[in-house]
């Protein structure tokens, strides 16, 4: 059954009733011209039917279902019959900055059980969202995906009250690449006052690209397209050709990037003027409660990819550069000596270097600046592939977060099927969802006695497993060896410095 029309700043929309929740899907928030900033839509007067997900952002495997001008849409799930404004969660999807979309995340279950208003968004991906061409004559083509996300946040802030949401109680959240975007967005002056909390799950440790590296990627793409003398002509290159060239360039230079990925938010000096971690460190965001999470075996998925992801080689090379071959050897020996029976020591070392340690250092920066921060790790192996065979690798927490208990949901864009959950899956997912909804509602994921804030010197780490429990982050020989190697390397012993070493 269709909902009543809801007014927005561009025109009325109608959604569909899903039990006790109203869903509005494919709501356009801007229009995108290639390599230009998103612009407002032309207003309409007749109610617009928003009952199906909008067009995917162009991406590998979905170019035939994509629409590059009309891909900027969002999806809203809101409980029916509420008599008060509800807290809002805006979610930015992951996908290595090249895949994914809001259609992979049905927020109906979270909205009903919050109660809360859940919003998922699309943004431009791959070259259309992250290829930096402003040094090549296309003045607006820098950090376009970040600008898309800002436009979505602006739209939500201006319109969500009409959907039952509280525009002054918005939590900005994301996973993987989306978490990187959350961290970058949170530090931008343009976003101030438009969100009050932030959640970042599995944010890569080195997601901000230098402007010089981004410029080099753009130069190589233009060279491959034979457009070095006419960069503006890239605007008319057919999408299949553009994406094929970008994939070829990516294979050639992925090892040259700090993160092992070609794209990401760029420290361009205009849209993103400062390194985000420096903004957290100086206390500018101390009033923003922050939840940072990761999965225990983040790197397994990337080790098992064919070929193994470039971030594997990049991370090992950077640790060797920081501590020397002898230091790398000592680390690996310690990880082998302390490995669990089901643990790959090499994977565990890389997961710590690329994911866990940078995440912990961001928590230290925020805590040291006076901010409230909570740190978590997801240790549960769910009965859903690839996690059943690979363990709690990258995305394991995200699968439980969006589950419609007692089932995992389908992911149509990633082409992953859902399925029934085991009692253990349900137990862990329910705890994870409850913590998230409590964070969205109150700014703290649990009562202090059950999950204390991350503060020195104890540095509590919440483990989502069976049972849920808290452990000190800085215990164990692995942590002590990292500290020893950092001291020997001569790196300044500050959280910011440690974050750069990883």
């Amino acid at each position: 059954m269709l909902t009543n029309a809801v007014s927005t700043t561009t025109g009325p929309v109608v959604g569909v009733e899903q039990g006790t929740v109203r869903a509005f899907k494919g709501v356009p928030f801007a229009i995108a011209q290639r390599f230009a900033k998103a612009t407002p839509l032309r207003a309409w007067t007749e109610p617009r039917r928003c009952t199906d997900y909008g067009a995917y952002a162009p991406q590998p495997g979905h170019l035939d279902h994509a629409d590059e001008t009309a891909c900027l849409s969002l999806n809203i799930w809101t409980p029916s019959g509420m008599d008060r404004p509800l807290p809002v969660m805006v979610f930015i999807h992951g996908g290595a900055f090249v895949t994914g979309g809001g259609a992979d995340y049905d927020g109906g279950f979270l909205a009903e059980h919050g109660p809360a208003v859940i919003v998922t968004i699309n943004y431009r991906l791959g070259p259309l969202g992250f290829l930096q061409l402003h040094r090549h004559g296309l003045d607006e083509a820098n950090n376009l995906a970040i600008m898309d996300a800002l436009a979505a946040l602006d739209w939500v802030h201006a319109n969500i009250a009409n959907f039952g949401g509280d525009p002054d109680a918005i939590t900005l959240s994301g996973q993987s690449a989306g978490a990187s975007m959350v961290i970058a967005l949170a530090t931008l002056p343009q976003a101030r006052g438009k969100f009050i909390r932030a959640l970042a799950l599995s944010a890569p440790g080195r997601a901000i690209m230098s402007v010089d590296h981004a410029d080099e990627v753009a130069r190589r793409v233009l060279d491959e397209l034979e457009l070095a003398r006419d960069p503006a002509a890239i605007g008319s290159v057919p999408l299949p050709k553009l994406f094929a060239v970008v994939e070829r360039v990516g294979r050639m230079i992925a090892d040259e990037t700090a993160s092992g990925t070609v794209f990401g938010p760029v420290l361009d000096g205009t849209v993103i003027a400062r390194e985000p971690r420096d903004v957290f460190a100086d206390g500018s965001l101390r009033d923003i409660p922050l939840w940072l999470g990761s999965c225990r075996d983040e790197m397994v998925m990337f080790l098992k990819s064919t070929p193994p992801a470039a971030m594997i080689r990049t991370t090992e090379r950077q640790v060797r550069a920081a501590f020397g071959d002898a230091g790398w050897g000592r680390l690996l020996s310690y990880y082998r000596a302390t490995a669990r029976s089901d643990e790959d020591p090499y994977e565990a070392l890389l997961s710590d270097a690329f994911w866990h340690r940078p995440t912990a250092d961001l928590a230290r920066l925020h805590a040291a600046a006076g901010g409230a921060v909570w740190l978590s790790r997801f240790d549960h192996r769910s009965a859903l592939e690839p996690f059943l065979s690979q363990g709690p690798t990258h995305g394991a927490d995200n699968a439980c977060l969006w589950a419609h208990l007692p089932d995992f949901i389908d992911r149509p864009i990633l082409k992953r099927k859902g399925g029934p959950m085991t009692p253990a899956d349900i137990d862990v997912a329910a705890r994870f969802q409850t913590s998230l909804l409590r964070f969205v509602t109150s700014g703290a994921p649990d009562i202090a006695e059950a999950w204390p804030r991350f503060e020195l010197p104890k540095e509590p780490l919440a483990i989502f497993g069976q049972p849920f429990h808290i452990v000190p982050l800085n215990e164990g020989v692995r942590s002590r060896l990292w500290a020893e190697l950092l001291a020997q390397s001569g790196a300044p012993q500050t959280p910011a410095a440690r974050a750069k070493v990883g």
Side-chain angles (χ1 to χ4, degrees):
M1 184 175 71
L2 295 180
T3 67
N4 293 328
V6 176
S7 63
T8 75
T9 49
T10 45
V13 297
V14 295
V16 64
E17 299 282 354
Q18 292 182 183
T20 61
V21 172
R22 296 177 296 152
F24 300 82
K25 300 178 181 178
V27 181
F29 64 84
I31 192 165
Q33 299 299 328
R34 190 182 294 189
F35 299 125
K37 292 178 183 177
T39 56
L41 290 151
R42 180 176 297 176
W44 60 86
T45 56
E46 292 299 315
R48 184 171 187 143
R49 189 180 178 117
C50 293
T51 57
D52 296 301
Y53 293 113
Y56 297 167
Q59 58 191 278
H62 291 292
L63 293 179
D64 52 340
H65 298 299
D67 187 328
E68 63 176 302
T69 60
C71 66
L72 298 185
S73 65
L74 51 80
N75 315 294
I76 304 167
W77 291 266
T78 181
S80 303
M82 291 291 108
D83 58 0
R84 57 185 172 85
L86 296 176
V88 181
M89 183 179 83
V90 175
F91 181 78
I92 305 177
H93 70 82
F97 308 105
V98 296
T99 61
D104 262 356
Y105 305 93
D106 186 314
F109 188 86
L110 290 175
E112 179 180 5
H113 288 80
V117 177
I118 307 298
V119 181
T120 67
I121 73 169
N122 285 359
Y123 55 93
R124 281 175 284 183
L125 300 168
L128 302 180
F130 294 95
L131 191 62
Q132 302 287 111
L133 294 166
H134 63 292
R135 288 184 172 181
H136 299 269
L138 284 78
D139 294 340
E140 291 190 351
N142 61 311
N143 276 314
L144 290 175
I146 290 288
M147 298 299 289
D148 293 346
L150 274 172
L153 185 60
D154 286 342
W155 190 97
V156 171
H157 195 260
N159 291 284
I160 207 64
N162 292 340
F163 294 86
D166 184 348
D168 296 320
I170 294 174
T171 296
L172 189 59
S173 66
Q175 185 263 345
S176 191
S180 296
M181 293 182 67
V182 165
I183 290 170
L185 284 164
T187 67
L188 302 186
Q190 305 96 303
R192 292 293 286 173
K194 295 169 185 171
F195 72 100
I196 63 170
R197 301 182 252 279
L199 166 66
L201 300 175
S202 296
R206 307 171 186 88
I208 299 297
M209 302 284 182
S210 73
V211 70
D212 289 338
H213 168 72
D215 186 49
E216 176 66 8
V217 173
R219 185 188 65 76
R220 294 204 192 189
V221 169
L222 291 170
D223 286 347
E224 286 288 313
L225 290 169
E226 299 181 345
L227 294 177
R229 295 185 178 182
D230 187 17
I234 195 172
S236 59
V237 173
L239 284 180
K241 181 178 181 180
L242 176 61
F243 274 80
V245 164
V246 166
E247 183 179 359
R248 187 161 64 245
V249 169
R251 287 196 302 267
M252 290 189 295
I253 68 173
D255 279 343
E256 301 174 19
T257 73
S259 63
T261 58
V262 175
F263 292 125
V266 176
L267 191 62
D268 62 354
T270 52
V271 177
I272 303 177
R274 298 180 60 199
E275 161 63 49
R277 288 173 182 260
D278 292 341
V279 181
F280 278 95
D282 71 16
S284 299
L285 299 174
R286 66 170 59 92
D287 60 331
I288 302 295
L290 178 65
W291 175 358
L292 299 171
S294 60
C295 296
R296 188 189 69 191
D297 303 332
E298 290 276 4
M299 276 295 192
V300 169
M301 177 181 292
F302 303 100
L303 277 167
K304 291 184 179 294
S305 62
T306 306
M311 70 173 69
I312 302 295
R313 301 182 295 276
T314 299
T315 303
E316 178 178 341
R317 187 169 61 247
Q318 290 177 338
V319 175
R320 287 181 181 272
F323 303 140
D325 291 342
W328 167 265
R330 286 187 66 196
L331 276 170
L332 190 54
S333 293
Y334 266 66
Y335 275 75
R336 286 170 175 159
T338 57
R340 304 182 314 272
S341 60
D342 63 342
E343 182 178 56
D344 176 345
Y346 180 68
E347 179 276 328
L349 196 166
L350 295 179
S351 287
D352 279 352
F354 189 85
W355 305 92
H356 302 141
R357 292 183 59 78
T359 297
D361 275 316
L362 181 56
R364 292 185 182 108
L365 292 175
H366 197 51
V373 57
W374 290 263
L375 190 66
S376 69
R377 194 181 74 203
F378 195 86
D379 282 19
H380 175 67
R381 180 193 295 267
S382 62
L384 177 74
E385 290 295 351
F387 314 110
L388 180 61
S389 58
Q390 296 183 5
T393 188
H394 190 68
D397 51 359
N398 208 35
C400 284
L401 172 59
W402 294 95
H404 287 204
L405 308 185
D407 296 295
F408 292 107
I409 63 171
D410 293 343
R411 304 282 294 281
I413 301 178
L414 286 183
K415 300 178 181 178
R416 287 184 186 169
K417 281 293 198 181
M421 305 173 79
T422 67
D425 294 338
I426 294 170
D427 176 68
V428 176
R431 180 63 184 255
F432 197 71
Q433 291 178 341
T434 298
S435 294
L436 173 125
L437 291 170
R438 187 178 285 120
F439 182 73
V440 168
T441 301
S442 70
D446 214 319
I447 59 174
E449 292 76 11
W451 181 359
R453 284 170 51 168
F454 184 91
E455 292 178 322
L456 297 172
K458 292 184 177 180
E459 299 189 343
L461 171 68
I463 304 296
F464 283 92
Q466 282 196 302
F468 174 87
H469 59 287
I470 306 294
V471 299
L473 175 67
N474 53 8
E475 278 192 353
V477 295
R478 292 179 179 180
S479 179
R480 290 194 293 272
L481 179 57
W482 278 99
E484 179 184 332
L485 290 173
L486 281 163
Q488 291 175 354
S489 72
Q493 294 303 291
T494 63
R498 289 197 301 272
K500 292 176 182 177
V501 175

